[in-house]
Amino acid sequence: MSRPTAEDVLVAFARTPGDVGAARRVARRFADLDPGERSALLWSEDPGGRLVAVVLLLQAARERQAEHRGPDPDLTDEYLSALRAERLDDPVLVDLAAEDLVGTPLLGGSTGPLFALAKSDVALVRRAAVVATLAFAKQGDAEVPLAVVGRLVRERGDVVQSALGRVLREVGKRASEVELVAFLERQGRFLSRAALETATEHLPPGERDRLRG
């Protein structure tokens, strides 16, 4: 029996509603897709193909985590190469995978790559740097997320600002409410209104109202 191809994946996905849930189902069905065929999807002109390719990368990374194997740098490199080349042009493709493919491999090691990504000329790469820090916040580490957010807090575009709000909210919930409040007291004025509202939504009402001004 012949092995599945990128074209087989595209045909299967075309028969679905085309959302993330459908992409997950198709990715599970084609979990053994050859890496070369996965790459063809990732670099294809078809948005659905790129979505399934990102889910396949994420699926492979999570399987390694579940089996207590170390991160595979090739998965991260494949994802970031497409992101830097602006082949991945939807924030959904960042929010789906940046935590697992970019952040989790850096836990316990150098965080320098995050700050390098935060300097990128590509807005979605900068968004990935922010979203990746969720891996640290979920480990109770407020320092790394706040440092990355601090580098980007003055950025005006919603592509990055919406990610800042989400990560700050998780810092308060998972790592340190005290450090979140201190950060917002210093830098909250640079956040967009929507990002500030997201960042503060789980704080006590009095604190939330004070920080929102």
Side-chain angles (χ1 to χ4, degrees), residues 5-30 41 44 46-56 92-93 96:
T5 66
E7 186 60 32
D8 294 327
V9 176
L10 292 174
V11 169
F13 189 67
R15 295 171 177 156
T16 74
D19 55 15
V20 172
R24 293 186 192 280
R25 291 191 293 275
V26 171
R28 286 194 294 270
R29 177 179 165 190
F30 291 94
L41 286 174
S44 76
D46 189 294
R50 297 195 296 270
L51 172 59
V52 174
V54 168
V55 175
L56 282 166
V92 169
L93 301 178
L96 268 175

Side-chain angles (χ1 to χ4, degrees), residues 140-212:
D141 181 343
E143 181 179 354
V144 171
L146 292 180
V148 173
V149 170
R151 297 287 179 93
L152 294 168
V153 70
R154 295 172 187 258
E155 182 153 341
R156 293 296 87 206
D158 186 61
V159 167
V160 171
Q161 279 283 336
S162 59
L164 299 180
R166 176 186 171 198
V167 165
L168 288 170
R169 178 185 62 198
E170 293 305 306
V171 167
K173 289 171 59 180
R174 308 280 193 123
S176 173
E177 186 176 298
V178 170
E179 290 186 59
L180 169 63
V181 169
F183 177 87
L184 292 174
E185 287 174 341
R186 296 191 308 271
Q187 308 249 47
R189 67 188 183 278
F190 299 120
L191 292 168
S192 69
R193 188 68 191 176
L196 181 60
E197 289 179 356
T198 300
T200 55
E201 65 184 24
H202 288 289
L203 293 176
E207 194 80 287
R208 182 178 65 223
D209 294 344
R210 178 179 70 84
L211 290 166
R212 289 180 179 179

Side-chain angles (χ1 to χ4, degrees), residues 44-79:
S44 76
E45 297 299 324
D46 189 294
R50 297 195 296 270
L51 172 59
V52 174
V54 168
V55 175
L56 282 166
L57 289 169
L58 175 62
Q59 184 173 275
R62 287 182 171 171
E63 284 176 1
R64 292 182 68 89
Q65 292 170 28
E67 295 167 2
H68 303 290
R69 292 186 287 158
D72 183 345
D74 290 340
L75 297 175
T76 298
D77 289 346
E78 186 174 351
Y79 175 68

